[in-house]
Amino acid sequence: MITNRSKIAIIGAGFVGAAAAYALAVKNMASELVLIDVNADKAQGEAMDIAHGLSFMGEMYIHAGGYEEVKDSDIIIVTAGLNRKPGETRLQLAQKNVAIAREMTREIMKHYTTGVILVVSNPVDIITQVIQEESGLPMGRVFGTGSVLDTARFRFMLSEAIGVDVRNIHAFIVGEHGDSQFPAWSAVRIAGISLDEYCRNLNIQIDKEKIEHDVKVAGAEVIKRKGATYYAIASVIAKISEVVLKDQRAILNVSSVQRGIFGLDDVALSLPSIVGRGGVLQSIEYTFTAEEKERLLKSADAIKETMASL
């Protein structure tokens, strides 16, 4: 029997929201899980479908509800919004989804009592900043999945290229979750050894430009083939939820509104950040190379230009 009560609310019962709910249920992540959607029947159907398998997963209370159900949630996960179409960039979604995000936030805050808001809806950096500002919550209480999935893709592709278990590869993608993102090549470590040294010692040749390109277009490639991406991001959501609920203070490349680090201000983007029960506790000022620092600032400028156009 669950004695440590925890509650997660998911707003949006589409592909991503439903997959996230299933991933959370499989990991028995909370004692209560509620799905909220404008299509109440869809939310109820997804909740029922997952709940019917609880005898194989563990005790949870899974149900559908309205915005009033965000009350007393430890985590409020925002997945609602229009989906990215084939050939459409995440930033092109901004104009369409910002109005939706503002309305959702107003509804959330009518019933909000506690917890963090985890933004998944794209373009995630823009939506994270909009919800942070609209909610009026303390900085870091609102954060997005950012480049956590891009980082996972990067590590996977590196593991394929050099033939090493992905769990032994430490690397991250920073900046926008979109076209201006980039890998911090200087930070890549294989069991503590720099990537260049590892490849030199084992006489391995890798194409960094191709890997960087493939990571950037990975989501679009999946969308082109199956219409949407949801399994991998559901795994990301489950992991972040575990970090928050257990106050693990793990370092993840989530997106949050920056206030001064690297000279960045009033822009949400992804940097290595300490994440715990209160959300983003601190962004880490990694020592980037001069080229990486320049790319980070350009990525921030790209996001700011979109925000300004809104």
Side-chain angles (χ1 to χ4, degrees), residues 5-298:
R5 309 303 298 179
S6 52
K7 180 179 180 181
I8 298 176
I10 300 176
I11 300 176
F15 283 128
V16 173
Y22 180 69
L24 291 165
V26 167
K27 296 187 72 172
N28 200 226
M29 192 57 64
S31 51
E32 182 177 357
L33 179 62
V34 56
L35 281 163
I36 302 167
D37 197 283
V38 291
N39 186 340
D41 284 343
K42 176 68 160 60
Q44 186 175 22
E46 296 290 359
M48 291 169 63
D49 194 12
I50 297 170
H52 292 165
L54 281 177
S55 59
F56 306 108
M57 295 183 284
E59 180 190 359
M60 292 182 74
Y61 173 38
I62 303 176
H63 62 106
Y67 276 100
E68 68 279 359
E69 290 289 349
V70 304
K71 180 182 178 183
D72 298 333
S73 293
D74 297 283
I75 309 173
I76 301 166
I77 302 170
V78 177
T79 71
L82 298 174
N83 293 324
R84 184 160 59 114
K85 298 177 181 178
E88 185 178 39
T89 68
R90 293 178 180 89
L91 290 181
Q92 285 174 325
L93 278 177
Q95 195 70 49
K96 301 176 183 178
N97 280 343
V98 162
I100 296 173
R102 292 192 190 281
E103 179 59 30
M104 276 193 298
T105 307
R106 286 191 283 268
E107 291 299 316
I108 289 170
M109 296 313 295
K110 287 179 183 177
H111 308 281
Y112 176 90
T113 55
T114 188
V116 302
I117 298 178
L118 174 60
V119 182
V120 186
S121 306
N122 277 318
V124 69
D125 303 298
I126 299 294
I127 302 302
T128 295
Q129 185 164 353
V130 167
I131 293 179
Q132 176 71 74
E133 293 172 354
E134 190 75 28
S135 68
L137 290 171
M139 296 299 297
R141 192 77 59 83
V142 178
F143 65 101
T145 49
S147 67
V148 178
L149 176 53
D150 303 298
T151 293
R153 289 167 172 158
F154 182 38
R155 292 174 63 197
F156 169 75
M157 292 179 190
L158 282 173
S159 75
E160 295 264 288
I162 65 177
V164 171
D165 188 326
V166 68
R167 291 169 296 183
N168 294 121
I169 297 174
H170 297 277
F172 56 85
I173 301 287
V174 293
E176 172 201 354
H177 174 55
D179 294 338
S180 65
Q181 69 178 43
F182 65 94
W185 287 106
S186 66
V188 179
R189 295 291 183 273
I190 315 299
I193 305 170
S194 72
L195 176 64
D196 291 341
E197 181 183 356
Y198 185 89
C199 290
R200 186 168 56 250
N201 291 344
L202 275 72
N203 196 28
I204 296 172
Q205 301 292 324
I206 65 169
D207 188 338
K208 289 184 178 180
E209 288 187 7
K210 184 180 186 303
I211 291 173
E212 181 171 341
H213 172 268
D214 289 350
V215 170
K216 188 178 297 184
V217 302
E221 288 296 315
V222 174
I223 291 170
K224 182 171 69 176
R225 287 165 173 77
K226 58 176 281 188
T229 64
Y230 40 90
Y231 294 133
I233 188 62
S235 298
V236 167
I237 293 167
K239 176 58 182 177
I240 295 175
S241 297
E242 180 180 26
V243 167
V244 170
L245 291 175
K246 295 181 179 180
D247 196 25
Q248 290 180 340
R249 302 189 174 226
I251 297 175
L252 300 170
N253 275 66
V254 294
S255 177
S256 62
V257 178
Q258 303 301 323
R259 287 285 188 264
I261 190 170
F262 299 113
L264 301 172
D265 190 53
D266 199 30
V267 61
L269 48 65
S270 292
L271 288 170
S273 304
I274 301 172
V275 180
R277 187 92 183 167
V280 172
L281 307 178
Q282 182 180 343
S283 293
I284 298 172
E285 195 156 357
Y286 172 77
T287 304
F288 292 110
T289 66
E291 180 186 357
E292 290 167 347
K293 176 72 177 295
E294 183 179 357
R295 295 185 72 177
L296 177 64
L297 297 178
K298 285 182 178 179

